[in-house]
Amino acid sequence: MSRPKRKAVVDTAKRVKKARGETDLGWGLNWSSAGTMHKGMCPLLVLTSSELEGREKVASFDIDFTVIKTKSGRKFATGENDWEWWDKSVPGKLCSLDEDGYRLVFFTNQAGIEKDKVKPETVRNKVEAIIKELAVPVQVFICTGTNHYRKPSPLMWEYLNESCNQSVVVDKAKSFYVGDAAGRPKGWAKEKPKDFSCSDRMFAANVGIKFYTPEEFFLGESAAKFEWGSIDPVKFLMSVPTTKSKEQHHKKNQELLVLVGVPASGKSTFSKQYFQPNGYVSVNRDTLGTVQKCLKVAREALDSGKSVVVDNTNPSRSARGAFLELAKEFGVPCRCFWLQTSLALAHHLNLVRQNQTDGGVRRVPDVGYNMFKKNFEEPAMDEGFTEIKKVDFVPRFASTRDENIFKQWTTAGH
């Protein structure tokens, strides 16, 4: 009669153990989290152990369709048990790497966690099952959403190197990463679809280690052609002026400025560089929340004799119209500055901004770009502007760190 009660006690103990991140894998491997919580979710889940010695050689892998594939044949797993080895050679190859002195590491993006399409425990249980079959220790880093740890950002690698390798510095020349998101176009091999992105290849490039596709690493196939599919940030920097512009855009007399540009096109940077230091009051929906509040703050600023810069996307005549009417009411000129930042560069800047702020400023979702495109009407003088100026984006970096982050590959537009 006491068995059901004993089983309930055991089940409760297991749940408590899992809640603490403990596993029965051995080697002291336990789960933890890193980064600032966002909407109740930590950005990075980590499986590691202080008992593992640091190693200078790292053999790192993506998980889905690199180490494993779905047993069901579907694109997305139907549950934590819907997996099998990507190829029969995989477990033996991974174990031999451990014997050769490599630290085995999995780096994986799991945006479905943030989207609530998959539970964190489902991913953890699958990972633990994989490691149990391998019977060798593996450190695992799971990015839970579209945050600053998401590949191709190198932050997961940096976290491993700085916090999970017992102060042993990884030798990048002896390390590598294997993944299936390699930028291979449609038709790269018979009956093979186009890769969904180039994020794994970019991740390796951003880290500075060698990259292989699963076909190259496990099957010994030749490297396939590929396309980065995004703006090359280093080449872009080489194409723009390197000296600071001495041009002045502000006016001594009171005025109202309306900025126009796609999300993350550099509007706020432009405002902070040229107008706010000269006494202009910036109004922005990102900080104020609504157009009505923007209009209220703009009205108060104009009423006190100050100039105003409207730092919103302002895609349509109607979006700009309310501010033009406000300028007319106060009898001040209204100029328009139209940022000519390309869509590809804006997508890149969107991710750069998120990474530079360590996730403090979240990326604008694709719907923001789609809405801008849907509503866009080219600024015209007949709206009431006294001047319309087209402005090219020229990067200005506050630090070497910001510049280095800008130079990293991003999956801009993907």
Side-chain angles (χ1 to χ4, degrees):
M1 294 295 292
S2 61
R3 287 181 181 177
K5 183 177 181 180
R6 190 180 303 121
K7 183 178 184 300
V9 171
V10 171
D11 289 344
T12 299
K14 285 182 177 180
R15 286 195 296 272
V16 171
K17 182 179 177 181
K18 276 189 170 294
R20 291 198 299 257
E22 298 175 14
T23 75
D24 56 2
L25 292 172
W27 309 288
L29 287 170
N30 289 316
W31 291 100
S32 60
S33 59
T36 304
M37 297 284 284
H38 177 73
K39 295 183 178 179
M41 175 57 60
C42 68
L44 183 66
L45 296 176
V46 180
L47 180 68
T48 190
S49 169
S50 59
E51 296 177 17
L52 293 175
E53 78 282 1
R55 291 187 175 182
E56 68 169 9
K57 298 190 299 182
V58 169
S60 54
F61 301 82
D62 185 27
I63 297 179
D64 297 315
F65 297 97
T66 296
V67 172
I68 62 171
K69 59 184 178 182
T70 58
K71 189 182 297 184
S72 64
R74 297 185 179 184
K75 183 177 181 181
F76 299 104
T78 58
E80 63 189 58
N81 298 316
D82 184 18
W83 71 274
E84 61 185 9
W85 296 113
W86 182 81
D87 182 79
K88 62 182 180 181
S89 64
V90 171
K93 185 74 171 178
L94 296 182
C95 290
S96 68
L97 287 167
D98 178 71
E99 293 173 0
D100 290 341
Y102 284 89
R103 169 65 63 229
L104 291 178
V105 182
F106 294 162
F107 295 108
T108 178
N109 291 340
Q110 297 290 333
I113 295 176
E114 185 179 76
K115 297 175 182 176
D116 202 27
K117 292 183 177 180
V118 61
K119 299 298 181 184
E121 55 267 28
T122 298
V123 180
R124 291 198 299 260
N125 290 343
K126 183 195 295 186
V127 165
E128 291 181 34
I130 293 169
I131 296 174
K132 283 180 180 178
E133 284 211 21
L134 285 174
V136 294
V138 182
Q139 290 175 295
V140 184
F141 299 82
I142 301 172
C143 176
T144 61
T146 55
N147 59 64
H148 53 303
Y149 285 99
R150 183 174 175 81
K151 294 180 297 181
S153 164
L155 281 183
M156 285 195 286
W157 172 276
E158 292 176 10
Y159 190 85
L160 159 71
N161 202 31
E162 295 170 5
S163 305
C164 305
N165 203 38
Q166 311 292 23
S167 299
V168 175
V169 178
V170 176
D171 187 337
K172 293 181 181 180
K174 298 177 181 178
S175 303
F176 59 86
Y177 183 68
V178 182
D180 65 309
R184 293 167 293 185
K186 183 178 180 180
W188 67 268
K190 187 178 181 181
E191 298 181 354
K192 290 284 188 178
K194 173 183 177 181
D195 288 344
F196 67 91
S197 82
C198 197
S199 59
D200 286 332
R201 190 184 299 274
M202 289 176 174
F203 174 72
N206 287 340
V207 170
I209 56 178
K210 293 186 289 291
F211 173 78
Y212 304 97
T213 63
E215 289 79 6
E216 293 166 23
F217 188 78
F218 292 116
L219 306 181
E221 294 183 4
S222 299
K225 61 180 180 180
F226 74 94
E227 301 167 353
W228 290 106
S230 297
I231 186 174
D232 184 331
V234 174
K235 285 186 177 179
F236 170 79
L237 286 182
M238 294 172 63
S239 70
V240 298
T242 56
T243 57
K244 289 187 177 181
S245 171
K246 295 182 180 179
E247 183 178 7
Q248 292 185 349
H249 296 296
H250 69 280
K251 298 286 188 181
K252 292 183 179 180
N253 297 328
Q254 188 183 23
E255 65 172 343
L256 188 147
L257 299 178
V258 174
L259 303 186
V260 175
V262 298
S265 57
K267 297 183 298 300
S268 295
T269 300
F270 184 68
S271 173
K272 290 174 183 176
Q273 182 178 355
Y274 289 103
F275 300 111
Q276 293 179 44
N278 291 290
Y280 285 64
V281 173
S282 175
V283 296
N284 185 307
R285 282 191 66 181
D286 290 342
T287 55
L288 296 175
T290 66
V291 172
Q292 289 71 25
K293 287 184 179 179
C294 288
L295 286 167
K296 180 177 182 293
V297 173
R299 175 180 292 278
E300 292 171 350
L302 291 173
D303 194 42
S304 65
K306 295 180 179 180
S307 291
V308 174
V309 53
V310 183
D311 175 21
N312 296 327
T313 57
N314 297 312
S316 64
R317 294 174 72 99
S318 61
R320 301 185 288 262
F323 295 99
L324 280 157
E325 285 297 320
L326 189 62
K328 184 178 179 180
E329 178 185 336
F330 278 86
V332 298
C334 185
R335 292 189 293 157
C336 174
F337 283 76
W338 179 12
L339 276 76
Q340 302 297 291
T341 310
S342 70
L343 188 60
L345 178 57
H347 275 295
H348 177 70
L349 291 170
N350 187 27
L351 296 171
V352 166
R353 181 172 61 186
Q354 176 172 264
N355 295 343
Q356 287 176 341
T357 61
D358 293 325
V361 178
R362 293 282 296 201
R363 62 183 284 275
V364 178
D366 290 342
V367 66
Y369 290 89
N370 295 335
M371 289 299 294
F372 182 91
K373 182 179 178 180
K374 177 182 177 182
N375 296 324
F376 180 71
E377 296 172 291
E378 186 173 316
M381 293 294 291
D382 65 7
E383 295 178 54
F385 292 115
T386 55
E387 181 184 18
I388 297 174
K389 294 188 69 172
K390 295 181 179 180
V391 181
D392 292 324
F393 173 80
V394 179
R396 298 284 183 261
F397 301 111
S399 65
T400 301
R401 174 183 178 272
D402 282 357
E403 181 176 356
N404 289 337
I405 291 175
F406 181 92
K407 291 178 179 178
Q408 293 171 1
W409 288 100
T410 65
T411 51
H414 293 276

